[in-house]
Amino acid sequence: MKAYRAAILRFDPEREAARSAIYEEDGLLVVGPDASGTQRVLAVGPYRELHQGFPDVPIEHLPGRILAPGFVDMHLHFPQTNVIASPADGLLPWLDNHTYPEESRFSDPVYCAESAAFFIAELLRNGVTTALAFASSHPASVTALFEQALQQGLRMIAGLCLMDRHAPPGVLNRAGADGRFDATEQSLIDSEALIKTWHGRNRLGYAITPRFAPSCSEAQLRGAGELAARYPEVWIQSHVAENQDEIEWARALFPASSSYLATYGDFGLLRERAVYAHCLHFDDADRALMRVSGAAAAVCPSSNLFLGSGYFDYAAADRAGMLYGLASDVGGGTSFSPFHTMLAAYYVGRHGQGRPALSLSPQNLWWQHTAGAAQALGLAGVVGNLVPGCEADFVVLNPQATPLLARRTACANSLDELLFALIVLGDDRLIERTVISQALLTIAAN
Ligand code: GUN
Ligand code: ZN
């Protein structure tokens, strides 16, 4: 067992709907291994109340620091690290001119391994301890990503990108080497083999990953849905309703479905543990479909602002009771840093787009990237919070990390002021350390 004394930020699991944080100025976090060796939170609360209950446990005192749950990134792309900061006239030209050429490089296992090591390290350096990621359409990219996640201890959910049409050959799924199976069949066979190898191994999870309806044939979507029915415990991830041109394309390809989102439902791809990136141009019927199916939205504000895709409608999502959480969407998104993503989400709320402007509270923004995102992934009580039973994934924040952070946080008069200063001024420099529950691996970030 081990304990940490510092300020501690966490969320009240009994009051999930309130999205309000509990903040201990002088807190104690006690962690210890379960039967499998995973470190879990054993106790958390005010130092003065707790410490006498753990007289023999060594305490690391971190004065001036804040412990907070490791961040949960609900959607990003492993093969798009080098795509960040590639401007384009919207989603479809961005895919054609920047994204597909870079993703085609992941046919090379050596490039996959080098990129995976960087990608996982960069997530951890930014305080992200759980992620749901697309790999490329090449099985070697999935293997490289899971191997690195295992080695570096990050809780990773990922899958082989399914795309058998409407893209250059270098990024399409490929037929089996012996010619027995075409590209579509092979992509489904590969997905199932990857589920069997990786899903549930240590902290890894598999996600069936149709890229988006326009890049998948009917046969591929049907096969993905059949796989999802056979493996109800695995995740599903895709994109929906991000961009007007994309939506028109999807509607033209699947005219029998009542909406773009409904297309996924028609193939058995809307259920709990299904995560759809963007969900921008929805109507209330789509939102109701999300709620009844238990699917969740990955809100990607920095990507949506960068590509000019649109603005997530928070008020409508809340009225519908949809699950959602925050995501970087690297490389459409502009940063691995959860602070950048939370700030972009704040801008999205303020923008309004003809709707009343919102001021998302800093506690709400933080919740969306931790406990809220975990809940949307079906991992509430497992990650994204620092309450007893949760895996001990956390960040050590140093509010003195930059002169401006030190100056602004020193005059914060409330928790909201403090958290806002961290969100607006923070980046990877704020993450002094990322602590991972796997045998207490510690990543000295900055
Ligand atoms: N839609 C289909 N593929 C992608 C992608 O890689 N990024 C984004 N933002 N949207 C997509
Ligand atoms: Zn994406």
Side-chain angles (χ1 to χ4, degrees):
M1 273 166 41
K2 175 163 187 195
Y4 300 83
R5 179 180 179 185
I8 299 175
L9 181 74
R10 65 189 197 277
F11 292 89
D12 185 350
E14 305 300 321
R15 295 181 63 239
E16 204 64 80
R19 300 175 189 181
S20 56
I22 303 171
Y23 189 70
E24 229 74 70
E25 288 275 357
D26 183 14
L28 192 70
L29 176 73
V30 186
V31 305
D34 65 14
S36 73
T38 297
Q39 299 284 335
R40 290 186 188 275
V41 176
L42 299 178
V44 63
Y47 171 79
R48 64 176 186 286
E49 286 175 20
L50 271 188
H51 78 280
Q52 277 155 350
F54 299 92
D56 302 324
V57 176
I59 297 177
E60 183 175 350
H61 193 193
L62 298 161
R65 304 300 191 264
I66 302 168
L67 310 184
F71 290 101
V72 177
D73 191 332
M74 284 186 68
H75 174 81
L76 80 170
H77 296 258
F78 155 49
Q80 292 181 16
T81 304
N82 289 6
V83 180
I84 294 178
S86 301
D89 293 335
L91 171 68
L92 301 180
W94 175 81
L95 287 171
D96 287 337
N97 298 329
H98 301 288
T99 309
Y100 291 155
E102 173 61 18
E103 290 196 17
S104 69
R105 299 177 70 189
F106 288 73
S107 60
D108 173 5
V110 177
Y111 189 58
C112 290
E114 181 275 326
S115 302
F118 179 89
F119 179 78
I120 301 287
E122 190 64 8
L123 283 168
L124 291 168
R125 222 174 55 74
N126 279 282
V128 175
T129 52
T130 294
L132 172 59
F134 271 56
S136 76
S137 58
H138 316 93
S141 74
V142 185
T143 304
L145 185 59
F146 279 137
E147 279 175 351
Q148 271 302 319
L150 201 57
Q151 197 170 317
Q152 299 194 45
L154 186 136
R155 183 181 255 281
M156 173 61 74
I157 308 165
L160 177 75
C161 188
L162 300 175
M163 48 188 309
D164 62 358
R165 62 172 178 170
H166 299 151
V171 285
L172 291 179
N173 301 121
R174 294 186 186 171
D178 60 8
R180 274 207 305 153
F181 301 108
D182 68 18
T184 306
E185 291 165 322
Q186 190 62 44
S187 70
L188 299 164
I189 292 168
D190 289 341
S191 296
E192 184 160 19
L194 289 163
I195 291 172
K196 288 183 173 154
T197 307
W198 294 106
H199 184 78
R201 184 158 163 200
N202 203 311
R203 296 205 301 167
L204 306 179
Y206 195 83
I208 298 164
T209 305
R211 180 171 208 124
F212 63 158
S215 70
C216 302
S217 65
E218 279 198 35
Q220 194 172 42
L221 288 176
R222 194 173 314 108
E226 285 164 7
L227 214 45
R230 257 187 290 136
Y231 294 93
E233 69 287 2
V234 311
W235 282 265
I236 296 166
Q237 59 179 341
S238 191
H239 297 91
V240 75
E242 176 178 6
N243 165 286
Q244 294 296 354
D245 295 336
E246 170 220 17
I247 293 169
E248 275 170 35
W249 193 16
R251 298 297 294 121
L253 290 167
F254 298 96
S257 297
S258 62
S259 72
Y260 180 6
L261 178 71
T263 305
Y264 294 114
D266 293 343
F267 287 101
L269 292 165
L270 278 180
R271 62 154 166 75
E272 286 176 12
R273 294 199 165 198
V275 177
Y276 285 87
H278 308 299
C279 304
L280 299 182
H281 308 286
F282 268 5
D283 60 19
D284 281 342
D286 290 321
R287 294 186 188 97
L289 191 51
M290 291 291 286
R291 185 181 50 77
V292 296
S293 64
V299 183
C300 307
S302 83
S303 167
N304 298 157
L305 295 172
F306 185 72
L307 292 174
S309 304
Y311 300 82
F312 184 75
D313 189 339
Y314 276 102
D318 285 339
R319 274 197 304 277
M322 261 169 70
L323 289 168
Y324 62 82
L326 281 174
S328 67
D329 193 27
V330 161
T334 52
S335 172
F336 282 85
S337 174
F339 300 105
H340 286 213
T341 302
M342 291 189 284
L343 178 57
Y346 182 75
Y347 293 151
V348 163
R350 289 305 306 149
H351 183 275
Q353 203 192 26
R355 310 183 280 257
L358 296 172
S359 283
L360 295 171
S361 76
Q363 298 184 34
N364 179 350
L365 292 164
W366 210 293
W367 177 86
Q368 287 182 44
H369 225 338
T370 54
Q375 183 188 58
L377 288 175
L379 293 173
V382 181
V383 292
N385 209 346
L386 290 177
V387 294
C390 277
E391 294 172 2
D393 288 344
F394 59 94
V395 290
V396 180
L397 304 178
N398 178 8
Q400 316 278 322
T402 71
L404 182 56
L405 267 169
R407 186 180 170 95
R408 181 63 188 89
T409 56
C411 62
N413 287 316
S414 66
L415 176 60
D416 274 355
E417 274 193 30
L418 173 66
L419 297 183
F420 238 135
L422 300 179
I423 288 171
V424 173
L425 302 174
D427 55 30
D428 52 347
R429 291 168 294 180
L430 195 47
I431 308 284
E432 188 170 79
R433 234 198 277 177
T434 302
V435 181
I436 289 281
S437 68
Q438 296 301 285
L440 274 191
L441 276 171
T442 292
I443 287 83
N446 298 299

